[in-house]
Amino acid sequence: MGMPPIVKTVNLRKYYLAYKIGLLDRLFGKKPAWVRAVDSVSIEIEEGETLGLIGESGSGKTTLGKLLVTLEKPDGGEYYFMGEKVTEDKIPWVRQQVAMVFQNPYSSLNPRLTVKEIISEPLGHFDEDKVREAMEMVGLNYREHGNKRPRELSGGQVQRVAIARAIIKRPRFIVLDEPTSALDASLQAQVLNLLMDLKEQLKLTYLFITHNIAVAYYISDRVAIMYAGKVVEAGDVDEVFKKPMHPYTQLLMKSVPTIGRKELEPPTGEVPSLVNPPPGCRFHPRCPYVMPICREKEPQLINTSNRLVACWLYQQQ
Amino acid sequence: MPGNAFVSGKIMVDGVNLLELSEKEMEKYRGTTVFMVLQNPFTSLNPVKTIGYQLMEAARIRMERGGERYSEDRAYEMAIQALKDLRFPDPEIIMLRYPHQLSGGQIQRVVLAMSLILKPKILIADEPTSALDVTIQAQVINLFKQLSKEMETAILFITHDISLAYVISTRLVVLYAGRIMEDGDIESVIREPMHPYTQGLIAGVPDLSKFVSGKVKLQSIPGNPPSFLDLPSGCKFHPRCPYVKDICKVQEPKLTRVNNRIVRCWLYGG
């Protein structure tokens, strides 16, 4: 074996309280309810690759991204960064080498700071050369844009500012949370191509979170599909897209509007509640191939022909 | 629209110019003639009334305008039937719910159920699925297609997602800076876009059909969309256009018919 994967999680979990439990509730014996946003997720990301994390809203993909940049603390499981187990005292070390870009740049950047202040903030001090260099790398002009505030820039430009801010400390690993979904159609391709160029140039590793299947295909080397807090399938992007194995992935692909195909064939029903997920496999109420065991026992994510799949169709019962 | 907005021209619906109507006359057209589905479904229903109340109100308006006498039983039936048509498994329970108790996909279906009751001639849908998930979006799109077929309603589907436009529409109109740039049959516009803006837009869309034989690099349109406060001279697209000529900078091209297509571009005679 060569290098350890830059990111590795083992049964990582994050639960949130669904509502506040007051003293009275406690006296009356009300039990806390937990939202299982990320439930026993094990993934690996190799240095230099882009892992596309696909999932619908509420599938836990953003929470997983936040766990990996230590913005959230896990409630269980292990997280290894560059082969080292991440504990409380390792968090500052991890934070030196990771960054995150959020979906809506207008709400994730301080509206009262100028562009150059926003970009230099992660450094802790102002360094004109570094800011200028980062701005040039994302296609912004220091003299023209440096003194503007976010509201004076267009959506595409503000997202470039967020990207410049993410790369200024030369991180190794960046979590990109739907970075193009708030952008105009004509700007989406610009930003995607910029991200791919930066990855080459700076030898970055990306976790690209998205619900847009086509965007995931375009940017990723490998993809992982999340459903209701769990990874249900992961593998090489071409293989997963050509031959999806999990029934959810199959129906997801048939739901994507594509030029040249007029018919959509989505799964019936809706994404389940994470407070009270269905027993057994979480997809079973919507699955066309449901078997008795799916209702009782949860399938594990196992390796079948170079693919990770969590489905009883592919494993011994 | 803001009070100082200025509208000129004509909006003809069934031979009537809507702009010449008074507010009171206009009321009669809302809902039953023109119906709009908004992008954010949570703001389109009344938060303090139940779904049942709001659907039955729609049924009452339909009956009154259809010259029928209002009957509560009949309105209830119509509401239940509409919810059933939109695949709600237990419509009686949904009738008692308030909007905040439903998910985005459910509310969007309630709004569509309302349109089913009102039977408008024109349904305007402004990015009705952009707040929804992929699988729910596909469910709602299938409903839209079914509705237009069954009720013979014309749908104006506003979107920035070309792949989605392809799936739902029969005709495509491309707008840029407040102007129509191209208008034609969906298949032919997507296969052979004529206007440079349409060409750039389609080249930049990450659509799965492009990746059938491996990855291709997406082409992007350089620059940013113009500000309405400071629109470019001549053709509004000229600062971003790869085929820009001298005339594009000075004079705005007119919409011209070329075969079965309408285009606003000097490449096609302006």
PDB file of all heavy atoms in Angstrom, chain A residues 56-57 186 188 190 193 211 214 217-218 220 257 259-260 262 264 267 269-270, chain B residues 103 133 135 139 142 145 163 166 169 206-207 211 215-216 218 221 223 240:
ATOM      1  N   GLU A  56     -30.293  13.757  -2.143  1.00  0.00           N
ATOM      2  CA  GLU A  56     -31.386  14.716  -2.148  1.00  0.00           C
ATOM      3  C   GLU A  56     -31.347  15.511  -0.842  1.00  0.00           C
ATOM      4  O   GLU A  56     -30.594  15.167   0.062  1.00  0.00           O
ATOM      5  CB  GLU A  56     -32.713  13.969  -2.306  1.00  0.00           C
ATOM      6  CG  GLU A  56     -32.732  13.194  -3.607  1.00  0.00           C
ATOM      7  CD  GLU A  56     -34.088  12.566  -3.887  1.00  0.00           C
ATOM      8  OE1 GLU A  56     -35.016  13.320  -4.176  1.00  0.00           O
ATOM      9  OE2 GLU A  56     -34.206  11.348  -3.802  1.00  0.00           O
ATOM     10  N   SER A  57     -32.163  16.557  -0.742  1.00  0.00           N
ATOM     11  CA  SER A  57     -32.098  17.368   0.472  1.00  0.00           C
ATOM     12  C   SER A  57     -32.501  16.493   1.661  1.00  0.00           C
ATOM     13  O   SER A  57     -33.402  15.675   1.565  1.00  0.00           O
ATOM     14  CB  SER A  57     -32.988  18.596   0.359  1.00  0.00           C
ATOM     15  OG  SER A  57     -34.304  18.210   0.111  1.00  0.00           O
ATOM     16  N   SER A 186     -25.420  30.267 -17.554  1.00  0.00           N
ATOM     17  CA  SER A 186     -24.256  30.551 -18.384  1.00  0.00           C
ATOM     18  C   SER A 186     -22.983  30.638 -17.536  1.00  0.00           C
ATOM     19  O   SER A 186     -21.877  30.591 -18.068  1.00  0.00           O
ATOM     20  CB  SER A 186     -24.452  31.853 -19.163  1.00  0.00           C
ATOM     21  OG  SER A 186     -24.404  32.954 -18.303  1.00  0.00           O
ATOM     22  N   GLN A 188     -22.439  28.635 -14.724  1.00  0.00           N
ATOM     23  CA  GLN A 188     -22.141  27.372 -14.062  1.00  0.00           C
ATOM     24  C   GLN A 188     -20.918  26.696 -14.670  1.00  0.00           C
ATOM     25  O   GLN A 188     -20.017  26.263 -13.957  1.00  0.00           O
ATOM     26  CB  GLN A 188     -23.362  26.461 -14.169  1.00  0.00           C
ATOM     27  CG  GLN A 188     -23.153  25.114 -13.546  1.00  0.00           C
ATOM     28  CD  GLN A 188     -24.460  24.396 -13.303  1.00  0.00           C
ATOM     29  OE1 GLN A 188     -25.067  24.508 -12.260  1.00  0.00           O
ATOM     30  NE2 GLN A 188     -24.896  23.659 -14.285  1.00  0.00           N
ATOM     31  N   GLN A 190     -18.498  28.054 -16.341  1.00  0.00           N
ATOM     32  CA  GLN A 190     -17.297  28.834 -16.012  1.00  0.00           C
ATOM     33  C   GLN A 190     -16.710  28.408 -14.676  1.00  0.00           C
ATOM     34  O   GLN A 190     -15.515  28.153 -14.563  1.00  0.00           O
ATOM     35  CB  GLN A 190     -17.679  30.318 -15.857  1.00  0.00           C
ATOM     36  CG  GLN A 190     -17.650  31.145 -17.097  1.00  0.00           C
ATOM     37  CD  GLN A 190     -17.962  32.620 -16.786  1.00  0.00           C
ATOM     38  OE1 GLN A 190     -17.826  33.085 -15.654  1.00  0.00           O
ATOM     39  NE2 GLN A 190     -18.388  33.348 -17.788  1.00  0.00           N
ATOM     40  N   ASN A 193     -15.352  24.763 -14.622  1.00  0.00           N
ATOM     41  CA  ASN A 193     -14.054  24.655 -15.291  1.00  0.00           C
ATOM     42  C   ASN A 193     -12.949  25.284 -14.446  1.00  0.00           C
ATOM     43  O   ASN A 193     -11.837  24.752 -14.376  1.00  0.00           O
ATOM     44  CB  ASN A 193     -14.112  25.300 -16.678  1.00  0.00           C
ATOM     45  CG  ASN A 193     -14.914  24.465 -17.667  1.00  0.00           C
ATOM     46  OD1 ASN A 193     -15.113  23.276 -17.450  1.00  0.00           O
ATOM     47  ND2 ASN A 193     -15.387  25.087 -18.736  1.00  0.00           N
ATOM     48  N   HIS A 211     -26.712  17.968  -5.741  1.00  0.00           N
ATOM     49  CA  HIS A 211     -27.870  17.148  -6.050  1.00  0.00           C
ATOM     50  C   HIS A 211     -28.033  17.074  -7.566  1.00  0.00           C
ATOM     51  O   HIS A 211     -28.921  16.409  -8.068  1.00  0.00           O
ATOM     52  CB  HIS A 211     -29.127  17.691  -5.377  1.00  0.00           C
ATOM     53  CG  HIS A 211     -29.552  19.021  -5.923  1.00  0.00           C
ATOM     54  ND1 HIS A 211     -29.142  20.203  -5.371  1.00  0.00           N
ATOM     55  CD2 HIS A 211     -30.297  19.337  -6.991  1.00  0.00           C
ATOM     56  CE1 HIS A 211     -29.636  21.195  -6.079  1.00  0.00           C
ATOM     57  NE2 HIS A 211     -30.341  20.712  -7.073  1.00  0.00           N
ATOM     58  N   ALA A 214     -25.805  15.552 -13.324  1.00  0.00           N
ATOM     59  CA  ALA A 214     -24.962  15.825 -14.486  1.00  0.00           C
ATOM     60  C   ALA A 214     -23.701  16.576 -14.067  1.00  0.00           C
ATOM     61  O   ALA A 214     -22.606  16.298 -14.556  1.00  0.00           O
ATOM     62  CB  ALA A 214     -25.747  16.614 -15.526  1.00  0.00           C
ATOM     63  N   TYR A 217     -21.337  14.171 -12.496  1.00  0.00           N
ATOM     64  CA  TYR A 217     -20.644  13.364 -13.493  1.00  0.00           C
ATOM     65  C   TYR A 217     -19.494  14.146 -14.105  1.00  0.00           C
ATOM     66  O   TYR A 217     -18.394  13.632 -14.285  1.00  0.00           O
ATOM     67  CB  TYR A 217     -21.607  12.916 -14.603  1.00  0.00           C
ATOM     68  CG  TYR A 217     -20.911  12.035 -15.596  1.00  0.00           C
ATOM     69  CD1 TYR A 217     -20.789  10.677 -15.353  1.00  0.00           C
ATOM     70  CD2 TYR A 217     -20.314  12.570 -16.731  1.00  0.00           C
ATOM     71  CE1 TYR A 217     -20.097   9.859 -16.231  1.00  0.00           C
ATOM     72  CE2 TYR A 217     -19.613  11.759 -17.615  1.00  0.00           C
ATOM     73  CZ  TYR A 217     -19.513  10.409 -17.359  1.00  0.00           C
ATOM     74  OH  TYR A 217     -18.821   9.608 -18.218  1.00  0.00           O
ATOM     75  N   TYR A 218     -19.752  15.405 -14.416  1.00  0.00           N
ATOM     76  CA  TYR A 218     -18.756  16.221 -15.100  1.00  0.00           C
ATOM     77  C   TYR A 218     -17.494  16.397 -14.262  1.00  0.00           C
ATOM     78  O   TYR A 218     -16.385  16.323 -14.766  1.00  0.00           O
ATOM     79  CB  TYR A 218     -19.368  17.579 -15.438  1.00  0.00           C
ATOM     80  CG  TYR A 218     -18.452  18.488 -16.217  1.00  0.00           C
ATOM     81  CD1 TYR A 218     -17.911  18.082 -17.424  1.00  0.00           C
ATOM     82  CD2 TYR A 218     -18.139  19.752 -15.733  1.00  0.00           C
ATOM     83  CE1 TYR A 218     -17.081  18.917 -18.145  1.00  0.00           C
ATOM     84  CE2 TYR A 218     -17.306  20.593 -16.452  1.00  0.00           C
ATOM     85  CZ  TYR A 218     -16.781  20.173 -17.657  1.00  0.00           C
ATOM     86  OH  TYR A 218     -15.954  21.002 -18.355  1.00  0.00           O
ATOM     87  N   SER A 220     -16.518  14.740 -11.215  1.00  0.00           N
ATOM     88  CA  SER A 220     -15.991  13.729 -10.282  1.00  0.00           C
ATOM     89  C   SER A 220     -15.179  12.628 -10.945  1.00  0.00           C
ATOM     90  O   SER A 220     -15.390  12.286 -12.107  1.00  0.00           O
ATOM     91  CB  SER A 220     -17.131  13.057  -9.518  1.00  0.00           C
ATOM     92  OG  SER A 220     -18.096  13.973  -9.146  1.00  0.00           O
ATOM     93  N   PRO A 257     -33.544  15.046 -15.846  1.00  0.00           N
ATOM     94  CA  PRO A 257     -33.932  15.514 -17.175  1.00  0.00           C
ATOM     95  C   PRO A 257     -32.711  15.541 -18.089  1.00  0.00           C
ATOM     96  O   PRO A 257     -31.688  16.099 -17.739  1.00  0.00           O
ATOM     97  CB  PRO A 257     -34.478  16.928 -16.935  1.00  0.00           C
ATOM     98  CG  PRO A 257     -34.153  17.280 -15.542  1.00  0.00           C
ATOM     99  CD  PRO A 257     -33.703  16.064 -14.814  1.00  0.00           C
ATOM    100  N   ILE A 259     -31.378  15.824 -22.304  1.00  0.00           N
ATOM    101  CA  ILE A 259     -31.736  16.142 -23.685  1.00  0.00           C
ATOM    102  C   ILE A 259     -31.760  14.851 -24.498  1.00  0.00           C
ATOM    103  O   ILE A 259     -30.839  14.040 -24.392  1.00  0.00           O
ATOM    104  CB  ILE A 259     -30.741  17.156 -24.264  1.00  0.00           C
ATOM    105  CG1 ILE A 259     -30.923  18.500 -23.544  1.00  0.00           C
ATOM    106  CG2 ILE A 259     -30.931  17.327 -25.768  1.00  0.00           C
ATOM    107  CD1 ILE A 259     -29.892  19.528 -23.861  1.00  0.00           C
ATOM    108  N   GLY A 260     -32.815  14.666 -25.271  1.00  0.00           N
ATOM    109  CA  GLY A 260     -32.923  13.459 -26.084  1.00  0.00           C
ATOM    110  C   GLY A 260     -33.791  12.383 -25.458  1.00  0.00           C
ATOM    111  O   GLY A 260     -34.086  11.382 -26.082  1.00  0.00           O
ATOM    112  N   LYS A 262     -37.455  12.171 -23.464  1.00  0.00           N
ATOM    113  CA  LYS A 262     -38.599  12.955 -23.011  1.00  0.00           C
ATOM    114  C   LYS A 262     -39.241  12.392 -21.743  1.00  0.00           C
ATOM    115  O   LYS A 262     -39.966  13.080 -21.054  1.00  0.00           O
ATOM    116  CB  LYS A 262     -39.658  13.022 -24.125  1.00  0.00           C
ATOM    117  CG  LYS A 262     -39.317  14.045 -25.213  1.00  0.00           C
ATOM    118  CD  LYS A 262     -39.837  15.417 -24.866  1.00  0.00           C
ATOM    119  CE  LYS A 262     -39.649  16.403 -26.007  1.00  0.00           C
ATOM    120  NZ  LYS A 262     -39.919  17.783 -25.585  1.00  0.00           N
ATOM    121  N   LEU A 264     -39.493  10.773 -17.955  1.00  0.00           N
ATOM    122  CA  LEU A 264     -38.842  10.625 -16.657  1.00  0.00           C
ATOM    123  C   LEU A 264     -39.539   9.498 -15.903  1.00  0.00           C
ATOM    124  O   LEU A 264     -40.755   9.385 -15.942  1.00  0.00           O
ATOM    125  CB  LEU A 264     -38.946  11.922 -15.856  1.00  0.00           C
ATOM    126  CG  LEU A 264     -38.349  13.180 -16.477  1.00  0.00           C
ATOM    127  CD1 LEU A 264     -38.638  14.380 -15.586  1.00  0.00           C
ATOM    128  CD2 LEU A 264     -36.852  13.034 -16.653  1.00  0.00           C
ATOM    129  N   PRO A 267     -38.829   7.342  -8.783  1.00  0.00           N
ATOM    130  CA  PRO A 267     -39.438   6.447  -7.801  1.00  0.00           C
ATOM    131  C   PRO A 267     -40.675   7.117  -7.202  1.00  0.00           C
ATOM    132  O   PRO A 267     -40.782   8.343  -7.201  1.00  0.00           O
ATOM    133  CB  PRO A 267     -38.344   6.281  -6.745  1.00  0.00           C
ATOM    134  CG  PRO A 267     -37.502   7.510  -6.863  1.00  0.00           C
ATOM    135  CD  PRO A 267     -37.570   7.922  -8.310  1.00  0.00           C
ATOM    136  N   GLY A 269     -43.284   8.084  -3.999  1.00  0.00           N
ATOM    137  CA  GLY A 269     -43.086   8.420  -2.598  1.00  0.00           C
ATOM    138  C   GLY A 269     -42.012   9.468  -2.385  1.00  0.00           C
ATOM    139  O   GLY A 269     -41.475  10.032  -3.335  1.00  0.00           O
ATOM    140  N   GLU A 270     -41.723   9.743  -1.109  1.00  0.00           N
ATOM    141  CA  GLU A 270     -40.785  10.802  -0.767  1.00  0.00           C
ATOM    142  C   GLU A 270     -39.657  10.288   0.114  1.00  0.00           C
ATOM    143  O   GLU A 270     -39.720   9.197   0.660  1.00  0.00           O
ATOM    144  CB  GLU A 270     -41.525  11.926  -0.040  1.00  0.00           C
ATOM    145  CG  GLU A 270     -42.632  12.484  -0.894  1.00  0.00           C
ATOM    146  CD  GLU A 270     -43.054  13.858  -0.456  1.00  0.00           C
ATOM    147  OE1 GLU A 270     -42.266  14.538   0.217  1.00  0.00           O
ATOM    148  OE2 GLU A 270     -44.168  14.236  -0.787  1.00  0.00           O
TER     149      GLU A 270
ATOM    150  N   SER B 103     -44.485  18.890   3.028  1.00  0.00           N
ATOM    151  CA  SER B 103     -43.162  19.094   2.433  1.00  0.00           C
ATOM    152  C   SER B 103     -43.296  19.946   1.165  1.00  0.00           C
ATOM    153  O   SER B 103     -44.399  20.144   0.657  1.00  0.00           O
ATOM    154  CB  SER B 103     -42.531  17.749   2.091  1.00  0.00           C
ATOM    155  OG  SER B 103     -43.205  17.174   0.996  1.00  0.00           O
ATOM    156  N   ASP B 133     -36.348  18.257  -4.890  1.00  0.00           N
ATOM    157  CA  ASP B 133     -35.310  17.276  -5.176  1.00  0.00           C
ATOM    158  C   ASP B 133     -35.501  16.642  -6.543  1.00  0.00           C
ATOM    159  O   ASP B 133     -36.590  16.695  -7.107  1.00  0.00           O
ATOM    160  CB  ASP B 133     -35.358  16.175  -4.124  1.00  0.00           C
ATOM    161  CG  ASP B 133     -34.756  16.653  -2.828  1.00  0.00           C
ATOM    162  OD1 ASP B 133     -33.712  17.305  -2.892  1.00  0.00           O
ATOM    163  OD2 ASP B 133     -35.338  16.384  -1.776  1.00  0.00           O
ATOM    164  N   THR B 135     -35.840  13.551  -7.620  1.00  0.00           N
ATOM    165  CA  THR B 135     -36.895  12.550  -7.833  1.00  0.00           C
ATOM    166  C   THR B 135     -38.275  13.184  -7.699  1.00  0.00           C
ATOM    167  O   THR B 135     -39.194  12.841  -8.438  1.00  0.00           O
ATOM    168  CB  THR B 135     -36.764  11.378  -6.846  1.00  0.00           C
ATOM    169  OG1 THR B 135     -36.828  11.875  -5.513  1.00  0.00           O
ATOM    170  CG2 THR B 135     -35.461  10.642  -7.039  1.00  0.00           C
ATOM    171  N   GLN B 139     -41.348  13.704 -10.486  1.00  0.00           N
ATOM    172  CA  GLN B 139     -42.757  13.393 -10.238  1.00  0.00           C
ATOM    173  C   GLN B 139     -43.646  14.575 -10.639  1.00  0.00           C
ATOM    174  O   GLN B 139     -44.661  14.406 -11.312  1.00  0.00           O
ATOM    175  CB  GLN B 139     -42.983  13.065  -8.749  1.00  0.00           C
ATOM    176  CG  GLN B 139     -42.366  11.748  -8.292  1.00  0.00           C
ATOM    177  CD  GLN B 139     -42.437  11.562  -6.778  1.00  0.00           C
ATOM    178  OE1 GLN B 139     -42.982  12.397  -6.061  1.00  0.00           O
ATOM    179  NE2 GLN B 139     -41.868  10.470  -6.293  1.00  0.00           N
ATOM    180  N   ASN B 142     -43.841  15.107 -14.430  1.00  0.00           N
ATOM    181  CA  ASN B 142     -44.759  14.152 -15.059  1.00  0.00           C
ATOM    182  C   ASN B 142     -46.215  14.578 -14.870  1.00  0.00           C
ATOM    183  O   ASN B 142     -47.036  14.425 -15.778  1.00  0.00           O
ATOM    184  CB  ASN B 142     -44.526  12.753 -14.500  1.00  0.00           C
ATOM    185  CG  ASN B 142     -43.282  12.111 -15.092  1.00  0.00           C
ATOM    186  OD1 ASN B 142     -42.750  12.592 -16.083  1.00  0.00           O
ATOM    187  ND2 ASN B 142     -42.822  11.036 -14.485  1.00  0.00           N
ATOM    188  N   LYS B 145     -47.069  17.405 -17.302  1.00  0.00           N
ATOM    189  CA  LYS B 145     -47.275  16.920 -18.663  1.00  0.00           C
ATOM    190  C   LYS B 145     -48.645  16.271 -18.788  1.00  0.00           C
ATOM    191  O   LYS B 145     -49.353  16.467 -19.783  1.00  0.00           O
ATOM    192  CB  LYS B 145     -46.169  15.919 -19.019  1.00  0.00           C
ATOM    193  CG  LYS B 145     -44.839  16.601 -19.229  1.00  0.00           C
ATOM    194  CD  LYS B 145     -43.696  15.622 -19.272  1.00  0.00           C
ATOM    195  CE  LYS B 145     -43.534  14.959 -20.632  1.00  0.00           C
ATOM    196  NZ  LYS B 145     -42.297  14.136 -20.636  1.00  0.00           N
ATOM    197  N   SER B 163     -32.154  21.269 -19.864  1.00  0.00           N
ATOM    198  CA  SER B 163     -32.504  19.850 -19.930  1.00  0.00           C
ATOM    199  C   SER B 163     -33.955  19.651 -19.503  1.00  0.00           C
ATOM    200  O   SER B 163     -34.699  18.864 -20.083  1.00  0.00           O
ATOM    201  CB  SER B 163     -31.596  19.029 -19.022  1.00  0.00           C
ATOM    202  OG  SER B 163     -30.255  19.398 -19.170  1.00  0.00           O
ATOM    203  N   TYR B 166     -36.301  20.849 -22.100  1.00  0.00           N
ATOM    204  CA  TYR B 166     -36.414  19.863 -23.168  1.00  0.00           C
ATOM    205  C   TYR B 166     -37.476  18.819 -22.831  1.00  0.00           C
ATOM    206  O   TYR B 166     -38.286  18.435 -23.672  1.00  0.00           O
ATOM    207  CB  TYR B 166     -35.063  19.165 -23.410  1.00  0.00           C
ATOM    208  CG  TYR B 166     -35.172  18.081 -24.447  1.00  0.00           C
ATOM    209  CD1 TYR B 166     -35.104  18.394 -25.798  1.00  0.00           C
ATOM    210  CD2 TYR B 166     -35.406  16.763 -24.088  1.00  0.00           C
ATOM    211  CE1 TYR B 166     -35.256  17.422 -26.753  1.00  0.00           C
ATOM    212  CE2 TYR B 166     -35.564  15.775 -25.044  1.00  0.00           C
ATOM    213  CZ  TYR B 166     -35.496  16.116 -26.381  1.00  0.00           C
ATOM    214  OH  TYR B 166     -35.662  15.148 -27.326  1.00  0.00           O
ATOM    215  N   SER B 169     -41.276  20.717 -22.653  1.00  0.00           N
ATOM    216  CA  SER B 169     -41.932  21.621 -23.594  1.00  0.00           C
ATOM    217  C   SER B 169     -41.920  21.128 -25.039  1.00  0.00           C
ATOM    218  O   SER B 169     -41.175  20.232 -25.409  1.00  0.00           O
ATOM    219  CB  SER B 169     -41.300  23.014 -23.513  1.00  0.00           C
ATOM    220  OG  SER B 169     -39.914  22.925 -23.448  1.00  0.00           O
ATOM    221  N   PRO B 206     -24.277  21.184 -18.382  1.00  0.00           N
ATOM    222  CA  PRO B 206     -23.839  19.830 -18.099  1.00  0.00           C
ATOM    223  C   PRO B 206     -25.041  18.896 -18.250  1.00  0.00           C
ATOM    224  O   PRO B 206     -25.866  18.788 -17.353  1.00  0.00           O
ATOM    225  CB  PRO B 206     -23.351  19.898 -16.650  1.00  0.00           C
ATOM    226  CG  PRO B 206     -23.961  21.113 -16.065  1.00  0.00           C
ATOM    227  CD  PRO B 206     -24.445  21.990 -17.172  1.00  0.00           C
ATOM    228  N   ASP B 207     -25.173  18.277 -19.386  1.00  0.00           N
ATOM    229  CA  ASP B 207     -26.309  17.386 -19.624  1.00  0.00           C
ATOM    230  C   ASP B 207     -25.751  15.987 -19.868  1.00  0.00           C
ATOM    231  O   ASP B 207     -24.757  15.823 -20.565  1.00  0.00           O
ATOM    232  CB  ASP B 207     -27.097  17.872 -20.845  1.00  0.00           C
ATOM    233  CG  ASP B 207     -28.352  17.042 -21.056  1.00  0.00           C
ATOM    234  OD1 ASP B 207     -28.278  16.018 -21.745  1.00  0.00           O
ATOM    235  OD2 ASP B 207     -29.400  17.425 -20.511  1.00  0.00           O
ATOM    236  N   PHE B 211     -22.285  13.228 -22.285  1.00  0.00           N
ATOM    237  CA  PHE B 211     -21.200  12.434 -21.725  1.00  0.00           C
ATOM    238  C   PHE B 211     -21.334  10.954 -22.075  1.00  0.00           C
ATOM    239  O   PHE B 211     -20.709  10.121 -21.450  1.00  0.00           O
ATOM    240  CB  PHE B 211     -21.164  12.612 -20.205  1.00  0.00           C
ATOM    241  CG  PHE B 211     -21.113  14.039 -19.763  1.00  0.00           C
ATOM    242  CD1 PHE B 211     -21.922  14.504 -18.736  1.00  0.00           C
ATOM    243  CD2 PHE B 211     -20.242  14.930 -20.377  1.00  0.00           C
ATOM    244  CE1 PHE B 211     -21.868  15.827 -18.321  1.00  0.00           C
ATOM    245  CE2 PHE B 211     -20.182  16.258 -19.965  1.00  0.00           C
ATOM    246  CZ  PHE B 211     -20.994  16.708 -18.931  1.00  0.00           C
ATOM    247  N   LYS B 215     -16.074  12.001 -21.126  1.00  0.00           N
ATOM    248  CA  LYS B 215     -16.218  13.399 -20.738  1.00  0.00           C
ATOM    249  C   LYS B 215     -15.776  14.345 -21.839  1.00  0.00           C
ATOM    250  O   LYS B 215     -14.784  14.112 -22.510  1.00  0.00           O
ATOM    251  CB  LYS B 215     -15.398  13.663 -19.481  1.00  0.00           C
ATOM    252  CG  LYS B 215     -16.097  13.123 -18.268  1.00  0.00           C
ATOM    253  CD  LYS B 215     -15.387  13.472 -16.988  1.00  0.00           C
ATOM    254  CE  LYS B 215     -15.974  12.603 -15.896  1.00  0.00           C
ATOM    255  NZ  LYS B 215     -15.367  12.811 -14.600  1.00  0.00           N
ATOM    256  N   VAL B 216     -16.542  15.402 -22.022  1.00  0.00           N
ATOM    257  CA  VAL B 216     -16.116  16.472 -22.918  1.00  0.00           C
ATOM    258  C   VAL B 216     -16.054  17.732 -22.084  1.00  0.00           C
ATOM    259  O   VAL B 216     -16.797  17.867 -21.115  1.00  0.00           O
ATOM    260  CB  VAL B 216     -17.123  16.692 -24.067  1.00  0.00           C
ATOM    261  CG1 VAL B 216     -16.938  15.644 -25.135  1.00  0.00           C
ATOM    262  CG2 VAL B 216     -18.542  16.687 -23.558  1.00  0.00           C
ATOM    263  N   LEU B 218     -16.909  21.313 -21.006  1.00  0.00           N
ATOM    264  CA  LEU B 218     -18.034  22.221 -21.254  1.00  0.00           C
ATOM    265  C   LEU B 218     -17.498  23.566 -21.703  1.00  0.00           C
ATOM    266  O   LEU B 218     -16.525  24.065 -21.157  1.00  0.00           O
ATOM    267  CB  LEU B 218     -18.858  22.405 -19.985  1.00  0.00           C
ATOM    268  CG  LEU B 218     -19.595  21.189 -19.453  1.00  0.00           C
ATOM    269  CD1 LEU B 218     -20.308  21.557 -18.165  1.00  0.00           C
ATOM    270  CD2 LEU B 218     -20.594  20.685 -20.472  1.00  0.00           C
ATOM    271  N   ILE B 221     -19.851  30.628 -21.713  1.00  0.00           N
ATOM    272  CA  ILE B 221     -19.953  31.957 -22.314  1.00  0.00           C
ATOM    273  C   ILE B 221     -19.098  32.890 -21.462  1.00  0.00           C
ATOM    274  O   ILE B 221     -19.270  32.930 -20.249  1.00  0.00           O
ATOM    275  CB  ILE B 221     -21.416  32.441 -22.293  1.00  0.00           C
ATOM    276  CG1 ILE B 221     -22.305  31.437 -23.025  1.00  0.00           C
ATOM    277  CG2 ILE B 221     -21.530  33.820 -22.903  1.00  0.00           C
ATOM    278  CD1 ILE B 221     -23.777  31.775 -22.942  1.00  0.00           C
ATOM    279  N   GLY B 223     -17.696  36.332 -19.645  1.00  0.00           N
ATOM    280  CA  GLY B 223     -18.359  37.517 -19.116  1.00  0.00           C
ATOM    281  C   GLY B 223     -19.580  37.209 -18.292  1.00  0.00           C
ATOM    282  O   GLY B 223     -19.889  36.061 -18.001  1.00  0.00           O
ATOM    283  N   ARG B 240     -20.500  39.679 -25.217  1.00  0.00           N
ATOM    284  CA  ARG B 240     -20.116  38.299 -24.900  1.00  0.00           C
ATOM    285  C   ARG B 240     -20.122  37.415 -26.147  1.00  0.00           C
ATOM    286  O   ARG B 240     -19.888  36.219 -26.043  1.00  0.00           O
ATOM    287  CB  ARG B 240     -21.085  37.718 -23.867  1.00  0.00           C
ATOM    288  CG  ARG B 240     -21.180  38.535 -22.586  1.00  0.00           C
ATOM    289  CD  ARG B 240     -22.285  38.020 -21.669  1.00  0.00           C
ATOM    290  NE  ARG B 240     -21.900  36.808 -20.960  1.00  0.00           N
ATOM    291  CZ  ARG B 240     -22.750  36.094 -20.229  1.00  0.00           C
ATOM    292  NH1 ARG B 240     -24.022  36.443 -20.146  1.00  0.00           N
ATOM    293  NH2 ARG B 240     -22.339  35.019 -19.603  1.00  0.00           N
TER     294      ARG B 240
END
